[in-house]
């Protein structure tokens, strides 16, 4: 889990630096960062699912499917509306998935505070949020 967290953090910070120099490289690095984040979320669900014998991975798979194929409507129909709807639905399913994870591990963290503080700190809070979740999940063992 730590490797995927640091991959997410490293590529995200690198993408934010490269946006000033070369935007296409920044987009590639941001995509790699998103893949590391999705893998981290997958690891959260898998570890918690095995520990508590619950099956909620379907939420992750829906979010993953929407995130991977959300660009298809944009390429096929050039419709930004369908692209926005697919991205927004993926975002909602990921938030639902995080909420389920936080409720299963009985964490005091809040999704609302995560969104607000991530916006206020320009995304820096998300690194601390996910690192704290990793620590809480490791305490479960």
């Amino acid at each position: 889990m730590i490797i995927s967290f640091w991959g997410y953090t490293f590529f995200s910070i690198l993408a934010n630096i490269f946006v000033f120099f070369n935007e296409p490289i920044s987009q590639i690095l941001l995509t790699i960062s998103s893949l590391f984040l999705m893998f981290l979320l997958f690891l959260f669900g898998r570890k918690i699912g095995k520990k508590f014998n619950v099956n909620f991975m379907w939420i992750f798979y829906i979010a993953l499917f929407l995130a991977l194929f959300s660009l298809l409507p944009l390429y096929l129909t050039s419709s930004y509306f369908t692209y926005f709807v697919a991205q927004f639905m993926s975002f909602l399913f990921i938030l639902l998935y995080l909420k389920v994870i936080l409720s299963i591990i009985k964490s005091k963290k809040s999704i609302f505070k995560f969104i607000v503080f991530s916006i206020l700190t320009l995304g820096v809070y998300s690194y601390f949020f996910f690192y704290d979740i990793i620590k809480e999940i490791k305490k479960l063992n």
Side-chain angles (χ1 to χ4, degrees):
M1 274 193 286
I2 292 293
I3 293 172
S4 57
F5 169 75
W6 286 114
Y8 159 66
T9 305
F10 175 74
F11 285 111
S12 177
I13 291 172
L14 205 59
N16 289 329
I17 292 170
F18 264 91
V19 77
F20 298 111
F21 305 115
N22 193 343
E23 192 171 338
I25 291 177
S26 174
Q27 293 295 326
I28 292 170
L29 293 172
L30 199 57
T31 302
I32 294 170
S33 170
S34 298
L35 291 174
F36 272 108
L37 178 62
M38 292 302 273
F39 186 65
L40 180 67
L41 292 174
F42 172 76
L43 292 176
F44 285 167
R46 188 160 178 205
K47 186 146 186 135
I48 291 171
K50 285 183 179 179
K51 176 75 177 167
F52 293 102
N53 199 19
V54 292
N55 186 10
F56 59 95
M57 290 299 289
W58 62 272
I59 302 170
F60 173 77
Y61 292 128
I62 291 173
L64 181 66
F65 179 79
L66 286 171
L68 290 176
F69 295 108
S70 65
L71 289 175
L72 238 82
L74 187 62
Y75 291 131
L76 295 176
T77 64
S78 298
S79 171
Y80 285 100
F81 178 73
T82 53
Y83 168 72
F84 172 75
V85 169
Q87 286 289 328
F88 187 70
M89 292 300 292
S90 174
F91 174 70
L92 289 180
F93 274 105
I94 288 174
L95 290 181
L96 174 67
Y97 183 71
L98 275 174
K99 181 63 182 164
V100 169
I101 288 173
L102 293 176
S103 64
I104 289 175
I105 64 173
K106 296 176 179 64
S107 176
K108 296 187 185 211
K109 301 217 168 290
S110 165
I111 296 297
F112 178 73
K113 285 198 298 190
F114 168 65
I115 293 171
V116 170
F117 286 133
S118 290
I119 291 171
L120 291 176
T121 62
L122 301 176
V124 174
Y125 179 74
S126 66
Y127 306 132
F128 297 105
F129 181 82
F130 287 118
Y131 188 73
D132 287 343
I133 291 177
I134 289 173
K135 288 194 301 189
E136 288 182 20
I137 290 175
K138 285 191 174 188
K139 284 182 187 176
L140 294 175
N141 289 336

